[in-house]
Amino acid sequence: MTKILTGGVGKAEVTDTIKRLAIDSIDVVASSDMDAAMKLRVGQADYYLGTCHTGAGASLGVLVGLMGSAACHTFGRGVPTEDEVAALLADGKKAFGFSMDQIDVIAPLMARAIAARG
């Protein structure tokens, strides 16, 4: 089971959006950014999806500080393609940030890409 933690101002919406997909191999839980960073670091979670109003600083600030920028990626206000997401996952990215107004597009895209990695 792959565990995704959600954080930021839209964490409830991201959690609900992913749960509605009913992907059996994914467990999604709302979290705080600090708790998520600690769980990712010790292997108690696999990925983090953070949201803020711009998708930049606040969505990933704590994660970048505690995990390093190599483990994190922000989409900002842009919408990635499936190929871009797959490449980021293959590159080892674990924490992703995006804007609240992109939740309905990016959260399902991320969940499906993560599930496809098995």
Side-chain angles (χ1 to χ4, degrees):
M1 177 81 54
T2 301
K3 187 167 196 167
I4 300 173
L5 301 177
T6 65
V9 292
K11 67 183 172 187
E13 292 91 338
V14 173
T15 302
D16 292 343
T17 298
I18 293 174
K19 282 185 177 182
R20 280 195 304 272
L21 297 173
I23 300 171
D24 291 337
S25 62
I26 290 182
D27 178 27
V28 60
V29 178
S31 179
S32 69
D33 50 3
M34 183 65 80
D35 188 51
M38 294 302 150
K39 286 183 177 176
L40 284 166
R41 287 177 70 175
V42 299
Q44 294 176 351
D46 302 293
Y47 296 96
Y48 173 80
L49 303 179
T51 52
C52 68
H53 293 285
T54 64
S59 66
L60 285 178
V62 171
L63 282 289
V64 170
L66 293 175
M67 295 182 59
S69 60
C72 303
H73 178 80
T74 182
F75 297 113
R77 298 187 52 79
V79 177
T81 65
E82 288 180 27
D83 289 341
E84 290 170 329
V85 171
L88 290 165
L89 292 170
D91 192 37
K93 303 292 185 194
K94 298 287 183 188
F96 298 88
F98 50 96
S99 64
M100 285 188 56
D101 62 349
Q102 303 294 350
I103 290 172
D104 60 336
V105 176
I106 295 179
L109 177 64
M110 291 299 306
R112 289 184 181 114
I114 289 167
R117 289 184 56 81

